[in-house]
Amino acid sequence: MSELERVREFFRNDRYATENGAVIEEVGDHYAKCSIVLTDRHKNAVGGIMGGVYFTLADFTFAVATNRQEPGTVSITGDISFIGVPKGNKIIGETELIKNGRTISCYNVRITDEFGTKVAAVKMVGYRK
């Protein structure tokens, strides 16, 4: 089983994210790239994408990046800024490690569409038990 398959198998139990379409695309050292293909179920009452979809993708991507090597990290804060509208039908979350301390970690998660349009910027802070 490849590393990517092993991580996908572990996170298959993250049912809220996966049942809403989150897929792990890539993993690396304190790095993850995940995506969601947007459908009508992700839309709000006025036809846009519900903000929770972006946050779910960011939180899931953060979870994969932080727990792949050292399980037991949970998010303690998340700050999201909605900065654009996707032009395509897929959103992609990609992590950047800012700090990985003994118990506290901090990541930026960029959310773009498949064309590179920036749609959300997220800072996640986690606590490792």
Side-chain angles (χ1 to χ4, degrees):
M1 183 180 287
S2 74
E3 175 69 4
L4 182 57
E5 291 169 330
R6 185 187 69 73
V7 171
R8 283 179 176 160
E9 179 63 23
F10 178 81
F11 282 97
R12 171 175 74 86
N13 293 318
D14 195 331
R15 294 183 56 189
Y16 184 82
T18 58
E19 289 178 10
N20 280 288
V23 174
I24 302 168
E25 303 282 345
E26 296 176 27
V27 293
D29 186 27
H30 300 286
Y31 170 81
K33 181 177 181 181
C34 301
S35 66
I36 294 177
V37 173
L38 301 170
T39 66
D40 285 343
R41 75 178 297 180
H42 297 109
K43 292 183 179 180
N44 59 25
V46 296
I49 303 304
M50 177 65 96
V53 177
Y54 301 113
F55 193 82
T56 295
L57 178 60
D59 191 45
F60 183 67
T61 306
F62 168 79
V64 173
T66 59
N67 286 285
R68 182 184 78 83
Q69 294 159 287
E70 300 174 280
T73 300
V74 295
S75 58
I76 55 175
T77 64
D79 178 47
I80 188 166
S81 297
F82 303 102
I83 56 175
V85 177
K87 308 279 189 272
N89 66 348
K90 182 178 183 179
I91 55 172
I92 300 157
E94 198 167 4
T95 61
E96 174 191 10
L97 174 64
I98 304 302
K99 181 181 188 315
N100 187 36
R102 255 180 323 158
T103 57
I104 301 294
S105 59
C106 182
Y107 284 75
N108 283 333
V109 184
R110 292 178 308 280
I111 307 291
T112 62
D113 67 11
E114 69 267 35
F115 303 113
T117 306
K118 296 174 186 172
V119 296
V122 187
K123 181 175 97 175
M124 300 292 297
V125 177
Y127 173 75
R128 186 178 316 107
K129 299 178 192 179

